[in-house]
């Protein structure tokens, strides 16, 4: 990791790009530091392309552009942390990213930076509100094995300071999200735009076609039902090994007993979980980790099993069955990130063991489930209404016209 002093030096050197004028119709998009064409920036970009075509100049920061991006017109792609990336970041009028730009790239006065973030709700702690983390290599039953441990408080404070300097607006999925991010990011409260997340607009439409598309790409029979397992990562590191403690066969059998029909199991690992213990995974389980758009997988899923991931916020909007599998709950609460909202108040019930999870699935009550989900959305004061993309694009067009 580059030192704080080194980042300040680089930040100063970046000002050489101020010799180049800001292009009034240029927008730069960035998801997960140039690693993927996904999430809120993707939905904003595609909305603008459809409505404004080549009247705007679109630049995507991405290492390996997928075919879905190459197929669209009018877009230029640049690799993350390349000279071309620095140039376009420093000369674009509007920057749209789901993770703040690097601290060593300053925002110019006439630029407009939109942080869409990459998760909703208010679950695991982030930023400067993350407690000091002990080594994560001794998690009970070795559910997670990481290669480093750190007290990241100083680094998070450093990042939060510069992110606050460089961010114009920050999209918020709920009023509770605004409150916890205000405590975690050093941004002034007025910077938060409570309109929901563009990627969640899909759940306010007839989204079956997107689910069918995902099934087709993954080779799943259109008539089969799907359990999707989508856990988050642990700690603050990027090199992790995930041990699958979930008993997949028990889950499939329980789902069949409760709802009938033929079921398949698909799993999507977090981008930070770069390896997986496959000893407990049947050969017919489907690895959807490289599927480019998570929202389409959520459209496909008939049941979601997650843990502390904010994907539960998105999925709650569908009102479909969801469950939390949390074998390391005590450790996560007290020695890892901890929570903003008590887990008992989340949209879905949690199970610490496979037996408990099986009971939850078999005893699923749709009426009680919908009531619990709605209580959760009301508790966090959801701002999702299906119009976030349109709202943020109107703001972008207003900025480009200045």
């Amino acid at each position: 990791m580059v030192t704080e002093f080194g980042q300040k030096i680089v930040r100063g050197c970046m000002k050489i790009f101020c010799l180049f004028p800001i292009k009034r119709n240029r927008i730069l998009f960035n998801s997960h530091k140039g690693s993927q064409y996904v999430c809120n920036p993707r939905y904003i970009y595609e909305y603008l392309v459809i409505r404004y075509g080549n009247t705007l100049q679109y630049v995507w920061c991405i290492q390996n552009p997928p075919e879905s991006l190459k197929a669209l017109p009018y877009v230029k792609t640049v690799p993350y942390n390349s000279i071309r990336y620095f140039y376009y970041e420093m000369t674009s009028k509007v920057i749209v990213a789901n993770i703040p730009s690097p601290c060593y790239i300053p925002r110019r006065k006439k630029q407009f930076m939109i942080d869409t973030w990459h998760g909703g709700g208010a679950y695991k702690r982030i930023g400067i509100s993350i407690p000091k983390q002990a080594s994560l290599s001794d998690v009970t039953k070795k559910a997670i094995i990481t290669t480093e441990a750190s007290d990241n408080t100083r680094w998070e404070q450093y990042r939060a300071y510069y992110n606050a300097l460089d961010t114009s607006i920050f999209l918020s999925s709920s009023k509770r999200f605004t409150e916890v991010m205000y405590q975690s990011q050093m941004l002034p409260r007025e910077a938060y735009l409570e309109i929901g997340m563009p990627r969640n607009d899909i759940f306010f439409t007839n989204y079956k076609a997107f689910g069918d598309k995902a099934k087709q790409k993954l080779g799943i029979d259109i008539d089969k039902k799907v359990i999707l397992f989508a856990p988050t990562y642990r700690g603050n590191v990027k090199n992790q090994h995930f041990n699958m403690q979930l008993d997949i066969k028990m889950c499939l059998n329980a789902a069949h007993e409760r709802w009938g029909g033929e079921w398949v199991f698909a799993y999507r690992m977090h981008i930070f979980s770069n390896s997986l213990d496959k000893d407990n995974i049947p050969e017919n389980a489907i690895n959807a980790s490289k599927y480019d758009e998570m929202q389409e997988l959520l459209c496909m899923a008939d049941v979601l099993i997650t843990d502390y991931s904010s994907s539960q916020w998105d999925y709650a909007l569908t009102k479909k069955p969801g469950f939390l599998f949390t074998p390391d709950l005590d450790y996560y609460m007290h020695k890892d990130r901890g929570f903003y909202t008590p887990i008992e108040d989340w949209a879905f019930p949690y199970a610490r063991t496979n037996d408990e999870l099986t009971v939850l699935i078999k005893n699923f009550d749709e009426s009680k489930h919908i009531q619990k989900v709605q209580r959760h959305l009301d508790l966090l004061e959801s701002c999702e209404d299906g119009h976030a993309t349109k709202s943020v694009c109107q703001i972008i067009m207003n900025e480009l016209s200045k």
Side-chain angles (χ1 to χ4, degrees):
M1 181 184 292
V2 180
T3 64
E4 293 178 20
F5 177 74
Q7 293 225 8
K8 290 177 181 178
I9 295 297
V10 176
R11 187 178 174 93
C13 293
M14 284 289 174
K15 293 183 178 179
I16 192 171
F17 288 101
C18 293
L19 295 172
F20 300 97
I22 294 172
K23 298 294 184 180
R24 290 182 58 184
N25 69 333
R26 179 180 294 163
I27 311 170
L28 180 116
F29 300 88
N30 190 347
S31 282
H32 299 301
K33 299 181 179 180
S35 63
Q36 295 176 308
Y37 173 56
V38 295
C39 199
N40 297 308
R42 174 177 180 167
Y43 288 90
I44 294 169
Y45 162 68
E46 292 181 357
Y47 183 98
L48 291 171
V49 167
I50 291 171
R51 285 157 181 79
Y52 300 101
N54 62 0
T55 62
L56 304 178
Q57 185 179 139
Y58 313 96
V59 182
W60 259 95
C61 167
I62 191 163
Q63 297 297 121
N64 300 299
E67 292 302 319
S68 54
L69 177 58
K70 292 179 182 179
L72 293 171
Y74 320 126
V75 63
K76 183 187 297 291
T77 61
V78 296
Y80 184 68
N81 267 354
S82 64
I83 294 297
R84 291 171 65 210
Y85 163 63
F86 298 147
Y87 167 76
Y88 282 107
E89 172 105 4
M90 293 289 292
T91 59
S92 294
K93 173 65 175 178
V94 175
I95 300 160
V96 181
N98 71 348
I99 290 178
S101 295
C103 300
Y104 48 81
I105 302 181
R107 175 171 64 92
R108 297 168 68 174
K109 288 182 179 180
K110 293 186 178 181
Q111 288 184 304
F112 194 78
M113 167 65 192
I114 302 174
D115 190 334
T116 71
W117 201 239
H118 50 275
Y123 307 109
K124 60 180 181 283
R125 293 182 178 274
I126 62 170
I128 60 178
S129 66
I130 298 175
K132 179 178 179 180
Q133 294 170 331
S135 171
L136 299 176
S137 62
D138 60 347
V139 176
T140 304
K141 298 182 181 179
K142 297 183 178 179
I144 297 295
I145 302 172
T146 63
T147 58
E148 64 176 284
S150 68
D151 174 5
N152 62 326
T153 304
R154 178 180 173 85
W155 172 244
E156 291 293 348
Q157 289 175 335
Y158 173 83
R159 289 203 309 174
Y161 172 76
Y162 281 104
N163 292 344
L165 284 181
D166 298 336
T167 302
S168 304
I169 60 172
F170 198 113
L171 302 192
S172 173
S173 59
S174 68
K175 293 186 182 300
R176 176 63 176 155
F177 178 90
T178 299
E179 183 62 33
V180 300
M181 294 300 283
Y182 174 68
Q183 299 168 10
S184 307
Q185 297 293 306
M186 293 187 178
L187 276 172
R189 195 179 296 273
E190 57 268 23
Y192 292 94
L193 186 63
E194 295 175 335
I195 61 171
M197 291 194 297
R199 74 184 194 190
N200 284 342
D201 290 347
I202 192 172
F203 300 125
F204 292 83
T205 69
N206 183 4
Y207 55 78
K208 184 180 183 299
F210 295 101
D212 291 345
K213 171 187 171 184
K215 282 185 175 180
Q216 182 179 18
K217 284 189 174 183
L218 293 171
I220 299 173
D221 190 297
I222 197 71
D223 295 322
K224 290 185 177 179
K225 299 179 181 180
V226 182
I227 293 177
L228 176 66
F229 179 52
T232 189
Y233 70 104
R234 269 68 169 171
N236 63 338
V237 295
K238 300 183 181 180
N239 188 13
Q240 300 188 342
H241 176 79
F242 191 91
N243 185 349
M244 180 82 76
Q245 296 187 70
L246 184 70
D247 191 312
I248 295 171
K249 292 181 179 178
M250 287 180 68
C251 290
L252 290 171
N253 290 336
H256 174 74
E257 182 176 329
R258 172 59 182 83
W259 291 287
E262 291 186 65
W263 288 80
V264 297
F265 183 92
Y267 60 94
R268 180 185 176 91
M269 305 313 296
H270 194 278
I271 189 174
F272 287 174
S273 299
N274 59 8
S275 63
L276 173 67
D277 183 353
K278 297 185 178 181
D279 291 342
N280 298 327
I281 302 179
E283 290 185 1
N284 58 352
I286 297 166
N287 187 350
S289 300
K290 293 185 179 179
Y291 193 91
D292 57 355
E293 185 49 64
M294 177 62 172
Q295 305 312 93
E296 293 179 3
L297 295 180
L298 295 178
C299 291
M300 172 189 73
D302 295 283
V303 169
L304 174 70
I305 300 176
T306 184
D307 46 16
Y308 320 113
S309 168
S310 61
S311 62
Q312 63 186 283
W313 173 263
D314 305 31
Y315 196 72
L317 298 171
T318 72
K319 304 295 197 301
K320 293 188 290 186
F323 305 92
L324 309 176
F325 183 60
T326 59
D328 60 340
L329 178 58
D330 291 335
Y331 189 96
Y332 198 93
M333 280 197 299
H334 303 299
K335 294 187 178 181
D336 198 321
R337 294 209 169 205
F339 305 135
Y340 290 118
T341 306
I343 194 170
E344 291 78 11
D345 293 331
W346 295 8
F348 308 132
Y350 67 92
R352 296 173 184 263
T353 67
N354 284 293
D355 287 337
E356 290 179 1
L357 179 59
T358 298
V359 171
L360 288 176
I361 294 173
K362 290 181 178 180
N363 295 333
F364 176 81
D365 184 303
E366 183 175 9
S367 177
K368 291 181 180 179
H369 163 75
I370 291 176
Q371 290 175 17
K372 181 174 174 59
V373 169
Q374 193 59 54
R375 281 198 304 271
H376 177 68
L377 296 174
D378 292 343
L379 176 67
L380 271 59
E381 297 183 83
S382 172
C383 300
E384 307 279 4
D385 64 1
H387 302 291
T389 307
K390 180 179 179 180
S391 296
V392 74
C393 286
Q394 288 176 339
I395 291 172
I396 289 173
M397 296 309 295
N398 289 339
E399 287 299 320
L400 294 178
S401 66
K402 293 180 180 178

